Amino acid sequence: MNISRLVIATHNSGKLREFRSLLSNTDWEILGLRDLAIEQDYDETGTTFAENAALKARNYSLHTDLPVLGDDSGLEVVSLGRRPGVYSSRYAGPGAADIDRIRKLVQELQQAGGSRDARFVCALALAREGSVLLEAEGECRGVIINEPRGARGFGYDPVFCIPELGKTYAELTEDEKNRLSHRAAALGKLLSRMCL
Amino acid sequence: MNISRLVIATHNSGKLREFRSLLSNTDWEILGLRDLAIEQDYDETGTTFAENAALKARNYSLHTDLPVLGDDSGLEVVSLGRRPGVYSSRYAGPGAADIDRIRKLVQELQQAGGSRDARFVCALALAREGSVLLEAEGECRGVIINEPRGARGFGYDPVFCIPELGKTYAELTEDEKNRLSHRAAALGKLLSRMCL
């Protein structure tokens, strides 16, 4: 089965932009859920990134004949028992903005007073017509800083710092992010697992 | 068929390094011909990049059970009738170095006096046990300048300038080259043509 169009199971324009950039050298036309006028939202009931990625891919692939790539990703902070984890985007409750979540995270970390080690995790699942065909997971390790830095990216990017570069995710160039990010790592593995 | 090791059909360490960098996020272990102690050289008798890429992939895949990726790439200069083309690496005769080929190219272009438009082309072919399974071609457009600039890369890189960036191939960072190069374009297409 050769594919020419791939649907990313997201309504998040920042996430879609990252996938478009990561896949810019492929033959594929990359579509988001909005491009297909799919407005439905599914509850992310999984307890792991992999479960949620599979859930999104499976559910949205029932809305289209095209292959659908589900992505679930988030931040795990060691001293917070891996929170916010799968709740990364809901960490400060419904209706909260990125800056609210960042504030809550930094506050909790200051109270906890432990390690600032963290990792961004991305789980991907590729599905077609309700069945998951392929899965992959990638990570990027860093530390959480107190003061947000950088204007790029989204979510927790401004407080996630990669020590080797001395830059936050929000300060990375597009090329750097495409090379280093948890999403790039997961996507590289997924592509290399597509069988010939 | 899932693959875990991929052989690049080249003895050229610069080319191998580029493939390793481009494929760094995959699961694959990337091997060169030297890693398999394959010393044989085949004449590149094809008249197109695609023919030579297929020829290399096919021939070297008879030396191993692993999948083999053949690459043939070179420079086409519009006002030189697309030369040096498939003869890019042999343009100044056997035993010549990169700088000899660069000098010859610049000299011919100064004599011809025409357009300086050029493109780097990369043809890829993936073969296993003597059969080509998949092919792809990528390009990058630029202009030839008279004075070599930059210390990275190899071959004609120092005189191939990308006008949008004002940089020669030899001045690109690894990330920029991984995004823009003819090899990146071909590899992106090839990966996206692997069927699921």
Side-chain angles (χ1 to χ4, degrees), chain A residues 27 175 179 192-193 195, chain B residues 2 27 175 179 192-193 195:
Chain A
D27 275 341
D175 285 342
R179 176 163 50 89
S192 61
R193 285 174 195 171
C195 48
Chain B
N2 276 296
D27 274 342
D175 285 342
R179 175 163 51 88
S192 62
R193 284 174 195 171
C195 48

Side-chain angles (χ1 to χ4, degrees), chain B residues 33-68:
Chain B
L33 295 175
R34 288 189 213 284
D35 297 312
L36 300 181
I38 300 172
E39 288 177 17
Q40 192 159 350
D41 252 324
Y42 293 97
D43 285 339
E44 299 180 11
T45 53
T47 58
T48 65
F49 296 114
E51 278 174 33
N52 280 331
L55 188 149
K56 289 181 208 178
R58 214 182 286 117
N59 283 335
Y60 286 111
S61 74
L62 296 170
H63 291 258
T64 169
D65 290 337
L66 298 171
V68 173

Side-chain angles (χ1 to χ4, degrees), chain A residues 105-138:
Chain A
L105 178 74
V106 168
Q107 230 163 38
E108 289 208 13
L109 252 175
Q110 285 172 326
Q111 285 160 4
S115 159
R116 297 194 152 260
D117 290 349
R119 63 172 197 151
F120 263 123
V121 183
C122 171
L124 296 176
L126 187 72
R128 199 152 190 175
E129 291 166 2
S131 299
V132 171
L133 307 171
L134 213 55
E135 297 176 290
E137 196 163 305

